Amino acid sequence: MTFDRSLKIAPSILAADFADFGREVQAVEAQGADWIHVDVMDGHFVPNLTFGPPMVKALRRHVTTVMDVHLMIAPVDPFIEAFAEAGADILTAHIEAGPHIHRTLQAIRAAGCRAGLALNPGTSVQLAAPLLDMCDLVCVMTVNPGFGGQSFIESQLDQIRTLREMIGDRPIHIEIDGGVDPGTAPRVVAAGADVLVAGSAVFKGGSVADPAPYGANIARIRAANKA
């Protein structure tokens, strides 16, 4: 896939209707989503429990854009092959999840996926410097991972700016996950982000039966950035 730094909105299905994921994916893509973000949580690395490879495989049939799978799990390596086989386009692992993150990124690419590196709010982006040439995406967490609907952590804007300088002209996406809405989107994009994960800010007010609010919410995030 050709690298493109244009703004992408990646709705998190964590905020969708759990009983109707397939049609939720179809609805939000039809309303303008660029990627679909899938939050995998293990109840150990983060204090919540969500999806495993079978759910990702089931979702894959409905995703026509990019399936962006965020692994908030530890350990990561034993599950890379299963999530790759389930159809993930991007697999993102946390730098905090294990002692051998370089090997993890190698394994993700060897499995045929693009490799993402995620950093929690308490982790300096400087730690990503030796790993950037192994990354296709770096995800800066702007909330503490584990739950949707949290407030944006303002101090992460400096982290994004620093990361953007570190990346330079390398073909690496900067993804922001947490607290993205029309108010925060322009600031993270100005700091250097090009992929915005948004959950409640996209899915609020809509449903499979009435998906138009999804499109309106996505449009508001894009318009806020242009303004």
Side-chain angles (χ1 to χ4, degrees):
M1 183 178 293
T2 303
F3 181 80
D4 174 10
R5 208 182 288 283
S6 64
L7 180 63
K8 296 161 192 65
I9 309 298
S12 168
I13 62 165
L14 196 64
D17 180 356
F18 277 37
D20 208 358
F21 271 148
R23 291 201 298 162
E24 285 277 48
V25 166
Q26 293 169 1
V28 79
E29 283 192 338
Q31 293 294 324
D34 300 293
W35 293 6
I36 298 296
H37 188 83
V38 183
D39 291 299
V40 175
M41 307 183 190
D42 64 359
H44 166 70
F45 179 67
V46 293
N48 204 348
L49 187 64
T50 57
F51 324 114
M55 176 61 79
V56 173
K57 185 176 181 179
L59 285 169
R60 177 74 262 184
R61 297 195 301 269
H62 303 280
V63 177
T64 63
T65 57
V66 172
M67 181 180 271
D68 173 29
V69 179
H70 181 184
L71 300 177
M72 288 172 271
I73 64 176
V76 179
D77 293 10
F79 299 96
I80 289 170
E81 186 174 348
F83 280 105
E85 290 178 353
D89 294 302
I90 302 168
L91 282 176
T92 296
H94 273 258
I95 196 171
E96 306 88 359
H100 305 296
I101 188 64
H102 188 280
R103 184 165 65 198
T104 299
L105 295 170
Q106 284 180 315
I108 290 171
R109 283 187 166 177
C113 296
R114 282 176 279 169
L117 176 69
L119 300 103
N120 286 337
T123 300
S124 170
V125 295
Q126 298 289 352
L127 294 178
L131 302 165
L132 289 178
D133 289 331
M134 293 297 303
C135 296
D136 301 289
L137 174 149
V138 179
C139 175
V140 177
M141 295 299 300
T142 43
V143 299
N144 286 295
F147 296 96
Q150 298 182 67
S151 297
F152 181 85
I153 299 174
E154 295 286 338
S155 61
Q156 293 302 92
L157 288 169
D158 285 338
Q159 292 261 68
I160 300 165
R161 293 185 192 100
T162 299
L163 178 62
R164 186 69 195 87
E165 291 177 6
M166 290 164 57
I167 288 173
D169 61 0
R170 284 178 280 196
I172 302 170
H173 294 292
I174 297 178
E175 179 176 78
I176 305 305
D177 189 350
V180 171
D181 59 29
T184 57
R187 287 182 285 155
V188 298
V189 172
D194 60 286
V195 181
L196 308 184
V197 176
S200 54
V202 167
F203 284 98
K204 66 181 178 183
S207 66
V208 166
D210 180 23
Y214 299 165
N217 292 336
I218 290 170
R220 273 192 286 272
I221 294 172
R222 292 195 199 279
N225 172 60
K226 290 176 182 177

